[in-house]
Amino acid sequence: MAEQQATLAGGCFWCTEAVFDDVIGVTSVESGYTGGQVTNPTYKQVCGGGTGHAEAVRISFDPEKISYDDILDIYFATHDPTQLNRQGNDIGTQYRSAIFPHSPEQEASARAAIERAQADWDKPIVTTIEPLSDWYPAEDYHQEYFAREGENNPYCMAVVAPKLRKFRKSFAERLKRQEAAG
């Protein structure tokens, strides 16, 4: 079966990228911008909130090793899908929780994943399902940011590192390091 892609926005792309980099079956994760109206937006423009783009990740994965449904379940477990246009102290539509399906099948899976995830949350999930639109890779310094700079960045140590620890504990059987050790 051919490699597939998932495009997800769940707040700061440094966090989302760091989570999916660790998942068995994920072959690559690229941070970028999607869902907006400006061609080739910059990080500064997106952070300003006026472009309509979300900070997102494009995940390439092997569907024989991980399903799109499993990717969505990890996604919902690793950010707060009940916060409208924010994740923690990151506020604005650029930090929205959104799924950008690549096919009608992915859209149906996204709707089902929202229903599954709702059982884990007291508040309503506000994650949107938006049409797939132009993808703009983020600047090079954002790619693999946590892996390269996380320990030197106070934001990463306060926000990304705890999220990653929780993910690694909750999804230990899905970690690439587990696969290598096994």
Side-chain angles (χ1 to χ4, degrees):
M1 190 178 278
E3 187 172 83
Q4 294 182 16
Q5 291 188 321
T7 302
L8 307 171
C12 171
F13 48 31
W14 297 343
C15 297
T16 313
E17 180 187 70
V19 164
F20 284 101
D21 272 342
D22 270 359
V23 176
I24 294 170
V26 171
T27 55
S28 69
V29 184
E30 181 179 56
S31 290
Y33 316 112
T34 194
Q37 304 84 28
V38 174
T39 303
N40 294 315
T42 65
Y43 181 65
K44 186 174 181 178
Q45 288 174 311
V46 172
C47 284
T51 69
H53 290 90
E55 284 194 17
V57 294
R58 179 150 294 170
I59 302 163
S60 296
F61 65 97
D62 179 346
E64 292 184 11
K65 293 184 178 178
I66 187 168
S67 70
Y68 183 69
D69 288 344
D70 288 340
I71 286 173
L72 292 175
D73 290 344
I74 291 168
Y75 164 75
F76 279 111
T78 55
H79 81 291
D80 184 345
T82 69
Q83 292 188 342
L84 184 62
N85 296 328
R86 71 180 298 166
Q87 283 296 297
N89 290 328
D90 292 332
I91 300 170
T93 57
Q94 65 271 30
Y95 301 113
R96 68 189 179 269
S97 176
I99 301 169
F100 300 86
H102 288 246
S103 68
E105 293 79 16
Q106 282 192 357
E107 183 173 345
S109 290
R111 293 186 191 291
I114 290 170
E115 287 183 31
R116 278 193 312 276
Q118 186 60 68
D120 297 328
W121 298 94
D122 293 334
K123 296 184 222 163
I125 289 178
V126 295
T127 303
T128 57
I129 298 173
E130 300 181 27
L132 189 63
S133 61
D134 290 337
W135 174 256
Y136 300 101
E139 295 81 353
D140 287 347
Y141 70 92
H142 289 296
Q143 307 303 330
E144 303 300 327
Y145 187 85
F146 183 76
R148 288 182 299 98
E149 301 290 335
E151 291 181 16
N152 301 319
N153 182 311
Y155 171 89
C156 288
M157 294 312 295
V159 177
V160 183
K163 186 181 283 195
L164 210 47
R165 278 193 298 277
K166 179 183 174 191
F167 160 71
R168 288 175 176 161
K169 184 177 180 183
S170 299
F171 290 91
E173 75 286 353
R174 293 237 175 242
L175 298 181
K176 288 178 180 174
R177 281 181 272 118
Q178 167 90 9
E179 180 182 55

